[in-house]
Amino acid sequence: MDKAQLVFVPTPGMGHLISAVELAKLLLSRDYRLSITVLILDIPLLNSKLHNYIESLQDSSFALSNRLRFIELPKDDPELSNFHSFFERQKPSVKEVVLKLTQAESNADSPRLVGFVLDMFCTPMMDLADEFGIPSYIFFASGAAFLELMLYVQKIHDDENFNPIEFKDSHTELIVPSLVNPFPTRILPSPILNKERFGQLLVLARKFRQAKGIIVNTFLELESRAIESFKVPPLYHVGPILEVKSDGRNTHPEIMQWLDDQPAGSVVFLCFGSMGSFSEDQLKEIAYALENTGHRFLWSIRRPPPPDKIASPTDYEDPREVMPEGFLERTVAVGKVIGWAPQVAVLAHPAIGGFVSHCGWNSVLESLWFGVPIATWPMYAEQQFNAFEMVVELGLGVEIDMGYRKESGKIVNSDKIERAIRNLMENSDEKRKKVKEMREKSKMALIDGGSSFISLGDFIKDAMEG
């Protein structure tokens, strides 16, 4: 049987890179004929955790087998203004690497290059795939329902001159094919309501339609309506793709030991992703809410980067500087305030009974994988849509503020946060049951004969056949 090779070009951010690498590992474990080269693009956004992750990949068993290779491309010096221009600048470096791969095909032992697997933001690389005469597949790191929203909004914009920005403060609702319920335009994701970014999003959606297929990190049992209503190009639902192994016990023993000492299902975990942070005033409102509920809590807080700088949040040296006076002392018996959190290890711990989250898609899938109900507090990207899907469409979460946008500077008051946490921890038996059922379905999707197992096989067959 012919050996085949795929070139992966992920966006170099934690949420995109990790799921792309896990997809690569999944493909390699399914078919011994495949090998994968992952191109690592360097951007100013890269932080130490991402660099450490990239370094750890070089030592992985798949990498040592020579079937999974990582090639770091030269650093991109200009400031990151938008992903499209960044990927355009990277095309010569990517072309040089791929040229070497194709030249090696003349060697009888070298695998044949059969396609590019491109992150959802990497569509400029589709031009290179065309040059090399190979197909492009999009790896969409969010859900199928949001993918269909993007394509739907692009279609009605192009066909009917629909301008979503005109509806951002209205009570208009959209009838989106991927949703049962009408979707309020006022909670459209921020990129769709920003003139410049909406233009970029339209470009992405148009390019998606030209791909040979779209690989989505979801599973049929979670998003059946969106998957079944999808027409072209072919959609491969292969999730949940998660890095579920975590070394939290080794890297953060004090957090895991604290959780060991808490009763099962008693702790609410608050964590807002690798880019999530709040102002000091908002942190105080969260603190008041937590203290008033009396529930045990594990709370990850991060210092926002300077307002004029694109960078990841950092840990506070001393959380007391942003907490209400005496808060840490008064809650010492029931709560723990931390910096960066080993999220997977925490969600996997039996002490966790609820998850207050920004609703990044990876976090949503992790909450379902571990059967932890979620309270939604979206901040940026497509998270408002994810929150709507979890709360209204699927009934798997409770709302804190579905329309919250980090850039607005809005403060969510402690009463609202307290009500949501109480609802999450005290009044969500039905939701908890549904989340546990979805946990089992998420695991079944991946095993032999499961919906995602079959769909991944379809992708491999299509890719190998060219």
Side-chain angles (χ1 to χ4, degrees):
M1 297 291 283
D2 286 346
K3 293 180 179 177
Q5 176 165 213
L6 293 165
V7 170
F8 274 49
V9 189
T11 292
M14 290 295 274
H16 291 252
L17 180 59
I18 290 176
S19 55
V21 170
E22 292 302 312
L23 171 62
K25 291 178 183 177
L26 196 58
L27 286 165
L28 295 176
S29 68
R30 280 288 296 274
D31 198 309
Y32 68 91
R33 298 170 297 169
L34 275 176
S35 60
I36 293 173
T37 299
V38 182
L39 305 187
I40 306 292
L41 314 181
D42 200 341
I43 58 175
L45 214 61
L46 281 178
N47 58 29
S48 59
K49 284 191 170 53
L50 197 47
H51 276 299
N52 293 341
Y53 173 72
I54 292 166
E55 285 177 14
S56 73
L57 296 175
Q58 310 287 359
D59 299 324
S60 71
S61 57
F62 277 117
L64 295 173
S65 74
N66 293 321
R67 292 176 59 216
L68 179 60
R69 290 195 299 165
F70 300 91
I71 298 177
E72 294 191 53
L73 299 188
K75 189 172 182 64
D76 186 62
D77 289 327
E79 276 293 308
L80 180 69
S81 55
N82 66 67
F83 281 124
H84 187 85
S85 61
F86 167 73
F87 290 120
E88 282 288 348
R89 293 195 301 271
Q90 294 289 320
K91 282 162 82 168
S93 298
V94 172
K95 184 174 182 178
E96 186 178 336
V97 171
V98 177
L99 201 54
K100 289 177 182 173
L101 295 177
T102 55
Q103 288 168 349
E105 286 183 12
S106 56
N107 183 329
D109 291 331
S110 294
R112 158 179 72 95
L113 185 61
V114 296
F116 278 14
V117 176
L118 305 171
D119 182 83
M120 56 196 285
F121 292 116
C122 297
T123 55
M125 300 299 169
M126 292 174 72
D127 300 336
L128 286 183
D130 291 342
E131 279 188 48
F132 285 104
I134 56 174
S136 295
Y137 300 92
I138 299 297
F139 176 47
F140 196 78
S142 192
F146 177 64
L147 168 62
E148 196 153 339
L149 174 75
M150 277 184 66
L151 294 171
Y152 174 70
V153 168
Q154 173 259 318
K155 185 177 189 305
I156 60 175
H157 171 272
D158 292 358
D159 293 352
E160 304 168 26
N161 205 27
F162 171 73
N163 181 2
I165 297 161
E166 295 175 1
F167 298 95
K168 67 179 181 179
D169 297 318
S170 79
H171 292 286
T172 305
E173 293 180 323
L174 290 177
I175 306 302
V176 182
S178 58
L179 300 174
V180 173
N181 296 280
F183 184 77
T185 54
R186 63 183 172 77
I187 61 166
L188 278 165
S190 297
I192 295 178
L193 298 177
N194 174 289
K195 185 176 181 181
E196 181 185 354
R197 294 177 72 192
F198 181 52
Q200 296 165 7
L201 196 135
L202 291 172
V203 172
L204 291 179
R206 293 179 192 123
K207 294 294 279 186
F208 289 173
R209 295 181 186 278
Q210 298 170 24
K212 188 179 180 189
I214 303 179
I215 307 163
V216 186
N217 189 6
T218 191
F219 54 104
L220 181 63
E221 293 76 7
L222 179 65
E223 295 192 289
S224 58
R225 182 183 176 92
I227 290 167
E228 288 167 353
S229 65
F230 203 86
K231 298 295 185 280
V232 289
L235 185 147
Y236 307 98
H237 48 93
V238 300
I241 297 167
L242 304 168
E243 189 187 35
V244 294
K245 293 178 181 175
S246 172
D247 61 350
R249 290 227 169 254
N250 296 323
T251 59
H252 292 76
E254 74 291 350
I255 294 173
M256 305 312 292
Q257 180 59 57
W258 185 84
L259 286 171
D260 289 344
D261 295 336
Q262 312 308 315
S266 67
V267 177
V268 57
F269 174 42
L270 300 91
C271 188
F272 300 91
S274 57
M275 298 297 290
S277 60
F278 288 110
S279 68
E280 186 174 330
D281 287 343
Q282 184 63 79
L283 289 175
K284 284 184 166 61
E285 291 297 316
I286 298 171
Y288 298 141
L290 287 170
E291 188 169 3
N292 287 342
T293 67
H295 282 291
R296 298 169 192 270
F297 64 87
L298 179 66
W299 181 15
S300 170
I301 66 167
R302 314 294 305 288
R303 184 192 297 277
D308 58 340
K309 189 176 179 185
I310 298 176
S312 298
T314 53
D315 288 355
Y316 287 98
E317 290 181 12
D318 184 359
R320 282 178 177 78
E321 63 181 282
V322 289
M323 293 288 107
E325 188 173 348
F327 169 78
L328 293 176
E329 290 74 18
R330 291 191 301 274
T331 59
V332 69
V334 294
K336 188 171 182 64
V337 175
I338 59 173
W340 185 86
Q343 182 168 294
V344 167
V346 171
L347 287 172
H349 199 285
I352 299 299
F355 181 27
V356 177
S357 170
H358 64 308
C359 295
W361 189 246
N362 288 333
S363 293
V364 167
L365 293 177
E366 286 166 9
S367 77
L368 296 176
W369 182 265
F370 294 111
V372 179
I374 197 168
T376 62
W377 194 335
M379 302 180 77
Y380 48 86
E382 89 291 14
Q383 293 160 11
Q384 291 82 16
F385 183 89
N386 294 345
F388 177 87
E389 188 175 7
M390 287 297 289
V391 175
V392 177
E393 191 74 5
L394 301 174
L396 295 169
V398 302
E399 177 185 2
I400 290 182
D401 190 331
M402 207 179 293
Y404 181 86
R405 302 177 196 279
K406 187 177 178 183
E407 70 269 19
S408 71
K410 172 184 175 181
I411 301 293
V412 181
N413 68 47
S414 61
D415 289 346
K416 192 171 189 178
I417 302 166
E418 180 184 345
R419 279 196 302 273
I421 290 175
R422 287 189 183 281
N423 193 8
L424 179 69
M425 299 299 287
E426 300 168 16
N427 306 315
S428 60
D429 287 349
E430 190 58 36
K431 282 186 174 57
R432 201 170 293 275
K433 181 183 174 187
K434 289 180 73 173
V435 170
K436 301 286 187 198
E437 290 170 354
M438 195 58 72
R439 175 184 65 184
E440 298 313 309
K441 289 175 181 177
S442 73
K443 291 171 170 43
M444 293 294 290
L446 294 177
I447 66 173
D448 194 344
S451 57
S452 294
F453 185 95
I454 292 169
S455 193
L456 186 72
D458 291 341
F459 167 72
I460 293 171
K461 181 174 181 289
D462 292 347
M464 295 293 283
E465 290 176 354

